[in-house]
Amino acid sequence: MPSEYEAQRRKKADALRAMGLDPFGRRFPDAIGAAEARRRFEAVGEGAPARVAGRLMAVREFGKLVFSDLVDWTGRIQVAFSRKNLPEAVWEKVKQLDLGDWVGVEGRLTKTRTGEVTVAVETLEILAKALLPPPEKWHGLVDVEARYRQRYVDLFANPEVRDLFLARSLILEETRRFLKERSFVEVETPVLQPIYGGAAARPFTTHHNTLDMDLYLRISPELYLKRLLVGGMERVFEIGRVFRNEGVSTRHNPEFTMLEAYQAYADYTDMMELTESLVEHLARTVSGGKTCLKFGEHPIEYRAPWRRAKYADLLEEHAAVRPGDEEAIRAKARALGLEESNKHVDIVTHDLFERTVEEHLVQPVFVMDWPARLCPLTKRKADDPTIAERFEPMVAGMELGNAYTELNDPDVQEAALRTQLEGQKETMAVMDEDFLAALKHGMPPAGGLGIGMDRLVMLLVGAPSIRDVVLFPQLRPRTT
């Protein structure tokens, strides 16, 4: 049953139909943006022609004169409908307008006595009748989940939200441009994979009816991108969606956007330089040239070079234990209430690291040289095979990504994957024999990098939750 408001708007739609008009309109070509109309007035002055289209977001009636704010994605401009100057047929259309309607108008630019640049309307086309009104006092709405569920309303009611997603688009565009300028080639790899890999995560499972086989939504494109290194594509990257059947929080969404890049003849030190240069560039892009941006209460300085800190040194600094000291690590974990009895010591070590270290890593830092058991796809240190040449960029206590000197010895890789498979049966499928065969054909030494783009956008625009930077985040079903 339609609400009273919807019923009133439907009556207006019927009135338009009775006038021989389609309340859902047709194309409206050659319109300029609201911002361009304002620039035209400044350049040409009074009387300049303008043809604009957008949504009506405010209506102010003064008898035979109606003012309205017309909003498009470039901004806002006032439009004026004068009973004195409009033909009767056009005025009748004006009487059927409501907040939220999409219209196209044509007229002359002028400036009101209050100094407002305005289109004095001569013709009006109704392009789409809004049958539901915008939420009242949307700007003061405290139900954040309602904004996520009705993002389409959030975007037109709150211009700052639309600006945030335009900034996200710019960040992705600039990331691509930055990498292509450094001779990286953008590629696409399978989203549906017969064997998932590249991370320790639980996948989403689906089924292909024609082939009668289970497939997995990818948790990472890593193993396919490395196959391209084997094939001689020396610098490749992909920006795409990945899927992990895990928790939902302010920092996790089950589908998210990942950048992965691989560079032949490089190692993790090259990836550090690439990461800090990229993020500094993106910070300057979204801020108009600044490198210090606010996130929560913290000003974050993204200017390169970033701090380099070893995993073991950070653990000793904040937890007073060293990797390898199993007795001390388990004792510390128990003291903090962490489960340790049925876990390998390296897993317990990282649980301890997450609990005691990460919150202190506010300014950008590369946490480097990890316990090798945690890194089955990573090359070991030449002088210490218990340490992997891996780093994670950490900002504001949050992991931003992951990077390695890539393991390219097929025998060592197979042994590492078998160890991982035995220890993580719940989050691994089977051995990827084709990937191992690819390595046997020879993969050049390489550095690899993965960055969670949603988290990066969070940091650069100052958004407190990953849901703020994902247009349609995953939410629990409505309970009512």
Side-chain angles (χ1 to χ4, degrees), residues 345-381:
V345 64
D346 286 342
I347 304 299
V348 179
T349 300
H350 192 57
D351 290 344
L352 193 58
F353 186 94
E354 290 181 331
R355 172 68 67 87
T356 62
V357 178
E358 290 187 354
E359 65 180 317
H360 300 287
L361 305 179
V362 177
Q363 295 302 317
V365 56
F366 293 121
V367 179
M368 56 188 291
D369 294 352
W370 285 52
R373 186 179 173 85
L374 299 175
C375 317
L377 299 168
T378 311
K379 183 164 285 192
R380 278 57 173 147
K381 284 281 190 183

Side-chain angles (χ1 to χ4, degrees), residues 242-276:
V242 297
F243 308 84
R244 298 183 183 179
N245 196 352
E246 297 173 345
V248 177
S249 72
T250 58
R251 295 186 177 187
H252 296 87
N253 198 57
E255 65 171 305
F256 58 97
T257 300
M258 177 77 81
L259 160 68
E260 291 213 13
Y262 292 84
Q263 178 178 337
Y265 321 123
D267 66 5
Y268 75 148
T269 62
D270 299 288
M271 295 298 104
M272 290 183 206
E273 293 172 5
L274 184 70
T275 302
E276 63 193 2

Side-chain angles (χ1 to χ4, degrees), residues 95-117:
K95 289 160 63 175
Q96 310 308 322
L97 294 176
D98 286 300
L99 283 179
D101 288 353
W102 290 87
V103 302
V105 301
E106 190 167 3
R108 299 283 172 175
L109 293 168
T110 184
K111 185 174 280 190
T112 65
R113 285 177 294 178
T114 59
E116 185 75 28
V117 175

Side-chain angles (χ1 to χ4, degrees), residues 4 81 135 225 230 411:
E4 178 185 349
F81 305 96
L225 291 171
V230 173
D411 295 334

Side-chain angles (χ1 to χ4, degrees), residues 13-24:
D14 289 338
L16 291 169
R17 292 187 180 97
M19 296 161 58
L21 301 172
D22 182 353
F24 299 100

Side-chain angles (χ1 to χ4, degrees), residues 220-340:
S220 169
E222 177 171 348
L223 302 188
Y224 285 91
L225 291 171
K226 288 181 179 178
R227 286 169 167 92
L228 299 182
L229 291 177
V230 173
M233 299 183 72
E234 297 178 359
R235 297 191 182 201
V236 294
F237 78 95
E238 182 171 10
I239 298 176
R241 304 297 271 181
V242 297
F243 308 84
R244 298 183 183 179
N245 196 352
E246 297 173 345
V248 177
S249 72
T250 58
R251 295 186 177 187
H252 296 87
N253 198 57
E255 65 171 305
F256 58 97
T257 300
M258 177 77 81
L259 160 68
E260 291 213 13
Y262 292 84
Q263 178 178 337
Y265 321 123
D267 66 5
Y268 75 148
T269 62
D270 299 288
M271 295 298 104
M272 290 183 206
E273 293 172 5
L274 184 70
T275 302
E276 63 193 2
S277 299
L278 170 63
V279 177
E280 178 184 341
H281 170 72
L282 295 175
R284 292 183 185 276
T285 298
V286 300
S287 69
K290 296 187 294 184
T291 59
C292 188
L293 281 62
K294 197 84 177 290
F295 184 75
E297 299 178 354
H298 302 288
I300 307 293
E301 177 54 72
Y302 292 102
R303 186 192 302 272
W306 295 2
R307 176 188 175 198
R308 274 80 166 149
K310 292 184 177 181
Y311 186 102
D313 293 342
L314 289 169
L315 190 67
E316 183 172 28
E317 178 183 351
H318 296 287
V321 296
R322 296 284 296 182
D325 188 345
E326 181 168 356
E327 182 178 348
I329 287 169
R330 292 191 181 278
K332 185 71 174 183
R334 288 193 297 272
L336 294 175
L338 297 173
E339 173 58 42
E340 54 80 28

